[in-house]
Amino acid sequence: MEQLKTSFDFEKPLSDLYQQIEKVKQIADKTKVDMSATLAELEEKASQTSQSLYANLTGWQKVQMSRHAERPQTLDYINLICDDFIELHGDRTVGDDKAIIGGFATINGQTVMVIGHQKGKNTKERQYRNFGMANPEGYRKALRLMRLAEKFNKPVISFIDTMGAYPGLEAEERGQGEAIARNLLEMSVLKVPILCFIVGEGASGGALGIGIGDKVYMLEHTWYSVISPESCSSILWRSWDFKEKAAECLKLTSEDMFKNQLIDGVVKEPLGGAHQNPEEMAGTLKAQILDDLKALKKINSDKLIASRIDKFCAMGVVNE
């Protein structure tokens, strides 16, 4: 990682070191003085700072990382992982929700159905994609595609990255809650393997609507929770000022989720986050996908469904 693409407040010590390195290089070029020893010392310090910084991120810092403007999204992963992709549109009832995309793709010659949230990279794209917040027709489109995958006996791969399902009045009028609940029911008994990856934000039912799988993974610097830290803070403290405290209380990081046996694993990100090296991140995801598909394809569909249901039923603790 030669230089931070965008710096958060907590990355300032590292950003300062990279600026120092750049200045030393400029001085060396201008004066023709050998500054290799100084550069080596600064680069070693930057490496140590990076390792320490990203290994000890707080819950709120992970939330910030998951929202990085240049973080790879579903379409980026599709382009980097898949050999080809044919996007399919519409729920055959209301319309085509741009916040959720999906279609058939091939990975190393294997045909799969890929579904995921797409937030957009700039203001125009984000408005077009409704900031990755799906309406009921988005979840119904996803369900239609999953049934299509089941019909042709193809695995389903979902990439989750949303602030939540769209909370507007029109979404509720068209049955937002029912659409998400229907997906939970149908995904739990789908006869083909399902792999789910939280690649950014995983908020509430908006994430769960395409998040029931045989294997559910979180990328290292992502979060998964029933509510965002800001919303939690506004409910408990009537202010967003306690969002950092809320993030810690919610136990929403990948490490917390894995520790509580709510996900199947954590996928390591490149140093500094997935946005620093999207190609490396995509390669890691591709290897994970191929390994899991190889194992899951050997399992009988009835056993696959039973195992999937048992896994989710075993979550949580009940005190009588």
Side-chain angles (χ1 to χ4, degrees), residues 25-227:
K25 286 180 178 178
Q26 289 173 3
I27 292 168
D29 288 339
K30 284 182 181 179
T31 62
K32 305 300 179 185
V33 175
D34 183 11
M35 306 285 282
S36 56
T38 305
L39 277 173
E41 185 181 340
L42 284 171
E43 286 171 352
E44 176 62 25
K45 190 174 180 182
S47 176
Q48 291 175 357
T49 303
S50 296
Q51 297 286 350
S52 174
L53 180 69
Y54 295 113
N56 299 286
L57 294 179
T58 66
W60 175 244
Q61 288 167 349
K62 294 233 176 191
V63 171
Q64 289 179 287
M65 291 284 282
S66 74
R67 295 172 176 171
H68 195 287
E70 296 179 38
R71 191 174 179 86
Q73 299 178 14
T74 298
L75 278 175
D76 297 312
Y77 288 122
I78 288 172
N79 291 331
L80 290 167
I81 293 172
C82 304
D83 307 320
D84 54 32
F85 174 64
I86 302 171
E87 187 174 357
L88 302 174
H89 299 272
D91 70 338
R92 301 295 186 266
T93 306
V94 175
D96 183 39
D97 191 333
K98 306 300 182 184
I100 288 184
I101 59 173
F104 282 114
T106 56
I107 303 175
N108 277 22
Q110 296 184 63
T111 303
V112 297
M113 177 64 77
V114 180
I115 298 166
H117 297 100
Q118 181 70 17
K119 286 181 176 177
K121 295 293 184 72
N122 54 46
T123 303
K124 189 174 181 180
E125 278 185 24
R126 288 181 180 184
Q127 288 177 330
Y128 179 70
R129 298 288 182 184
N130 200 32
F131 297 85
M133 295 187 293
N135 280 279
E137 50 269 28
Y139 294 104
R140 291 179 180 129
K141 173 170 73 170
L143 180 56
R144 180 177 77 83
L145 299 185
M146 286 186 276
R147 284 173 172 163
L148 197 61
E150 183 181 52
K151 178 179 179 181
F152 294 106
N153 195 30
K154 303 300 179 186
V156 174
I157 298 166
S158 79
F159 294 111
I160 297 161
D161 184 12
T162 182
M163 295 179 285
Y166 184 59
L169 179 62
E170 61 272 28
E172 298 298 339
E173 288 175 343
R174 291 197 298 272
Q176 185 74 285
E178 187 278 336
I180 293 171
R182 176 66 56 184
N183 278 22
L184 302 185
L185 173 64
E186 297 286 349
M187 288 185 82
S188 65
V189 294
L190 207 69
K191 295 179 181 178
V192 293
I194 308 172
L195 301 179
C196 303
F197 295 89
I198 292 93
V199 296
E201 299 185 86
S204 194
L208 276 178
I210 56 170
I212 304 298
D214 301 293
K215 296 287 184 181
V216 180
Y217 295 100
M218 290 176 69
L219 270 59
E220 186 180 3
H221 302 313
T222 61
W223 65 275
Y224 198 16
S225 176
V226 69
I227 193 170

Side-chain angles (χ1 to χ4, degrees), residues 243-304:
K243 55 186 179 291
E244 292 92 344
K245 185 176 180 181
E248 296 304 319
C249 293
L250 286 168
K251 301 295 182 186
L252 43 64
T253 67
S254 54
E255 290 84 359
D256 289 325
M257 293 292 287
F258 184 63
K259 183 180 176 182
N260 291 324
Q261 299 180 335
L262 298 171
I263 59 171
D264 296 285
V266 178
V267 182
K268 189 151 184 71
E269 295 188 23
L271 186 63
H275 55 280
Q276 295 293 344
N277 195 334
E279 291 79 11
E280 182 185 334
M281 187 71 255
T284 304
L285 281 176
K286 184 176 182 178
Q288 187 69 60
I289 289 168
L290 292 173
D291 284 348
D292 283 327
L293 288 183
K294 186 177 180 182
L296 291 171
K297 281 183 176 180
K298 297 176 182 177
I299 303 173
N300 174 276
S301 61
D302 291 335
K303 288 183 180 178
L304 200 67

